[in-house]
Amino acid sequence: MNSFILNHIRPFLITISVIISLLLSTLTFAESTVSVTENKVNQAPTFNLPGVDNTRVNLADYRGKVVLVDFWASWCTPCIRSFPWMDKMIAKYGEQGFEIIAINMDQESILATKFLQRYPNKLTIAFDPQGVVAEQYEIMGLPNSFILNRKGEIVYKHVGFRLVELDKYEAEILSLLPQDSE
């Protein structure tokens, strides 16, 4: 009897251990990464993705604006924390030419829909369930964001979302927006 139970429970416990380890390593990676400022400015890969309510999100339409392109998924804990901050940045700097395109990576659209219902926002939402655009941007974890200047060049890149770096993120955005000449 004991060996019967052991033989049936052991695979279950191993499976649970592997799942927990994967989840913890994903969360640890997303939390422990830091922002990276690259000295080399690169043109951002263009995209034309499906958006909310049968719209299209075309990066070319945002030329002339400072754009934060953010890759996220419904299961990503740091992504949940980043949404209120991104929404606040749009409210604060949107009139100065700042935009955010939040690209969802969920393969099942219902997961993204539920997330967006739970966390309402004013962001431009696009969907990349196959990861084609994510591959072009060479994302290394979620969330992964890129701040583009008005020419569409990647100026700043961040892997993860760290609450202790919010002032730095905002300063990067401000550095690309027009300054008052008064």
Side-chain angles (χ1 to χ4, degrees), residues 75-114:
W75 50 262
C76 167
T77 302
C79 299
I80 294 168
R81 289 196 296 267
S82 71
F83 262 67
W85 178 83
M86 289 191 298
D87 210 35
K88 179 181 171 186
M89 293 297 101
I90 283 294
K92 198 169 181 181
Y93 301 114
E95 290 182 13
Q96 295 177 41
F98 177 64
E99 295 283 345
I100 295 178
I101 301 172
I103 301 176
N104 178 263
M105 302 294 301
D106 286 310
Q107 291 181 350
E108 296 179 38
S109 63
I110 190 68
L111 298 173
T113 302
K114 287 180 180 181

Side-chain angles (χ1 to χ4, degrees), residues 108-122:
E108 296 179 38
S109 63
I110 190 68
L111 298 173
T113 302
K114 287 180 180 181
F115 179 97
L116 294 170
Q117 288 170 346
R118 198 172 317 130
Y119 305 101
N121 62 79
K122 293 180 174 68

Side-chain angles (χ1 to χ4, degrees), residues 53-182:
D53 298 327
N54 296 318
T55 61
R56 298 295 299 178
V57 179
N58 187 338
L59 183 60
D61 295 341
Y62 294 84
R63 184 73 117 209
K65 297 183 178 207
V66 173
V67 181
L68 187 149
V69 177
D70 181 73
F71 291 87
W72 64 281
S74 62
W75 50 262
C76 167
T77 302
C79 299
I80 294 168
R81 289 196 296 267
S82 71
F83 262 67
W85 178 83
M86 289 191 298
D87 210 35
K88 179 181 171 186
M89 293 297 101
I90 283 294
K92 198 169 181 181
Y93 301 114
E95 290 182 13
Q96 295 177 41
F98 177 64
E99 295 283 345
I100 295 178
I101 301 172
I103 301 176
N104 178 263
M105 302 294 301
D106 286 310
Q107 291 181 350
E108 296 179 38
S109 63
I110 190 68
L111 298 173
T113 302
K114 287 180 180 181
F115 179 97
L116 294 170
Q117 288 170 346
R118 198 172 317 130
Y119 305 101
N121 62 79
K122 293 180 174 68
L123 309 176
T124 299
I125 305 294
F127 302 98
D128 184 24
Q130 304 306 316
V132 174
V133 175
E135 189 174 311
Q136 292 173 337
Y137 277 78
E138 299 176 357
I139 68 163
M140 301 187 334
L142 294 177
N144 202 155
S145 60
F146 302 82
I147 302 176
L148 316 181
N149 64 17
R150 294 175 178 276
K151 297 177 188 174
E153 299 166 328
I154 298 171
V155 180
Y156 300 103
K157 175 182 175 181
H158 299 277
V159 181
F161 181 78
R162 301 188 57 185
L163 296 175
V164 298
E165 302 225 358
L166 296 184
D167 290 340
K168 178 183 177 184
Y169 301 157
E170 187 170 356
E172 291 170 351
I173 293 164
L174 277 171
S175 75
L176 299 173
L177 291 173
Q179 305 299 313
D180 290 335
S181 57
E182 298 178 44

